Amino acid sequence: ATRIAQRLNIVRRHKETIIRRCVAVIYVVAIFVWADMVLMRFHLLVPLLQVLKAILGQELSVGALNVSLGDIIAIAIAIWLTVLLSRFVRFVLAEDVLPRVQLPRGVGDSISKLVHYTILALGAIVALAAAGIEWQSFALIAGALGIGIGFGLQNLVNNFVSGMILIFERPIQLGDTVEFGNRLGVVKRIGIRSSTVRTFDGAEVIVPNGNLISAEVVNWTLSDRLRRLEIPVGVAYGTDPHRVLEILVEVARRHPDVLEHPVPQGLFKGFGDSSLDFVAWLWTANFDQWRKVGSEVAVSIHDALAEAGVEIPFPQRDLHLKSIDSSVSREIASGGEGKSK
């Protein structure tokens, strides 16, 4: 409720959540304080601590590595607190810190992920230290892990390194429209092992990060969200091509989602089998609706050509008969009168 707190986005946007979490923490602390006072009043705290110490001190030996139940619990608590701390820090960064700083697109997400992984790495080190595991034992575990990686986890490591490349180099960012293989969709998540791309058909494709780095990927929105449209048009022979080019440019300029720069262009492609072939080139910044923009411009071109009396032909073919039966020839010459009779 203070004036300083109200300046924070996390307080203004998530007031109820913060109050609910704080109340839950107060309840937990109150329970522990109440339990400690009760145990002390009945002189049960010291015996209980001795029993817990004896239980948690039971060790399990695996080769040169000795692990107790207390060590396992300490590691679990340290990891749990690390994950909570990481979530809280990323929440503060996303809600209050990064929005106040002008950063290039995608940099804020990279910073958030880097902080997340750094906190997790430091938490793992603290967890091992809290469990009392010696560095020699840790080196033994790391060596065994290295052997496992060498035998069967190459793809996992490759995807992890590729995820780091995606985070730091940022060739693909959240919200980008990418095309890989025969799929086209929007990047919804970039994870440490894989990324999620939601296709325009509604499917969510889980893509290993290694595929996004090693294979060819078309990013339609990396630097901007402009999209060029090509609308082919065919008109009948004998039509004035200069008039057709004027109509294409005029119609494109009238659409509100067509950019003035780059300038819309009409081009004469050549002489087709049944038509004079033209194409309208235009740009739009409305990338999410570029198909709709192209459809609307195409319909407007059709209406403008019809209003100007320009015919849009259908395919025509000439049939040359070299040899036919004499009766068929007479039938054709008589215009089909014999058959009608």
Side-chain angles (χ1 to χ4, degrees):
T2 63
R3 183 176 301 176
I4 296 178
Q6 289 300 319
R7 295 177 181 176
L8 302 177
N9 293 331
I10 57 176
V11 174
R12 294 198 303 268
R13 299 176 182 175
H14 306 278
K15 178 180 177 180
E16 299 298 331
T17 302
I18 293 176
I19 293 177
R20 186 169 61 252
R21 297 290 174 83
C22 290
V23 170
V25 171
I26 292 174
Y27 279 149
V28 173
V29 173
I31 290 173
F32 276 98
V33 172
W34 172 83
D36 179 72
M37 294 177 63
V38 170
L39 292 174
M40 290 182 62
R41 178 62 63 109
F42 288 96
H43 304 288
L44 296 176
L45 181 61
V46 175
L48 180 61
L49 292 178
Q50 291 177 350
V51 173
L52 291 177
K53 184 178 181 180
I55 295 175
L56 298 178
Q58 298 295 325
E59 292 187 350
L60 175 64
S61 298
V62 180
L65 181 63
N66 296 324
V67 180
S68 65
L69 180 59
D71 296 337
I72 297 175
I73 295 177
I75 292 175
I77 293 176
I79 293 176
W80 177 63
L81 293 177
T82 300
V83 173
L84 291 182
L85 178 62
S86 174
R87 290 180 178 177
F88 176 74
V89 172
R90 294 183 68 182
F91 172 71
V92 173
L93 286 175
E95 294 290 337
D96 242 311
V97 178
L98 297 178
R100 301 177 187 272
V101 183
Q102 293 184 354
L103 297 173
R105 189 172 66 92
V107 173
D109 184 68
S110 299
I111 294 175
S112 178
K113 282 186 170 59
L114 178 61
V115 171
H116 173 65
Y117 296 142
T118 301
I119 293 177
L120 291 182
L122 294 177
I125 296 176
V126 172
L128 294 176
I133 298 178
E134 300 179 355
W135 287 106
Q136 294 179 352
S137 301
F138 179 72
L140 178 63
I141 297 175
L145 182 61
I147 295 175
I149 292 174
F151 278 105
L153 300 179
Q154 298 96 334
N155 290 335
L156 181 62
V157 175
N158 178 36
N159 291 327
F160 173 78
V161 175
S162 299
M164 294 294 102
I165 294 175
L166 290 176
I167 291 174
F168 289 102
E169 187 178 339
R170 294 183 289 115
I172 298 174
Q173 304 170 25
L174 291 180
D176 282 352
T177 300
V178 297
E179 183 177 357
F180 54 97
N182 58 348
R183 294 186 177 93
L184 178 68
V186 179
V187 179
K188 293 298 184 181
R189 184 186 66 88
I190 298 178
I192 191 173
R193 186 196 65 83
S194 62
S195 300
T196 303
V197 178
R198 183 175 179 83
T199 66
F200 293 109
D201 295 329
E204 292 189 346
V205 183
I206 310 301
V207 186
N209 290 331
N211 293 357
L212 297 177
I213 293 298
S214 60
E216 182 177 293
V217 178
V218 178
N219 192 337
W220 287 96
T221 57
L222 178 60
S223 56
D224 56 52
R225 298 187 67 81
L226 302 182
R227 177 68 184 253
R228 192 186 75 172
L229 304 177
E230 294 187 9
I231 302 177
V233 178
V235 300
Y237 275 92
T239 306
D240 182 7
H242 301 284
R243 179 56 181 155
V244 175
L245 293 176
E246 292 177 0
I247 292 175
L248 295 181
V249 175
E250 289 176 1
V251 172
R253 286 178 175 174
R254 286 200 300 263
H255 197 283
D257 287 330
V258 174
L259 299 178
E260 296 182 0
H261 300 283
V263 179
Q265 297 182 22
L267 302 176
F268 179 40
K269 294 182 62 177
F271 302 92
D273 294 338
S274 306
S275 62
L276 300 176
D277 295 332
F278 297 82
V279 62
W281 281 0
L282 50 112
W283 289 81
T284 179
N286 191 358
F287 184 88
D288 296 330
Q289 299 292 330
W290 67 271
R291 295 182 185 273
K292 180 181 178 182
V293 173
S295 175
E296 292 175 350
V297 173
V299 172
S300 299
I301 290 175
H302 174 273
D303 296 341
L305 292 177
E307 183 179 353
V310 177
E311 180 185 356
I312 300 177
F314 53 86
Q316 301 179 14
R317 296 291 184 270
D318 292 334
L319 179 62
H320 299 277
L321 302 177
K322 293 184 177 180
S323 61
I324 59 176
D325 187 81
S326 58
S327 60
V328 176
S329 178
R330 290 193 300 270
E331 183 72 20
I332 294 175
S334 61
E337 294 180 357
K339 184 176 181 180
S340 62
K341 292 178 180 180

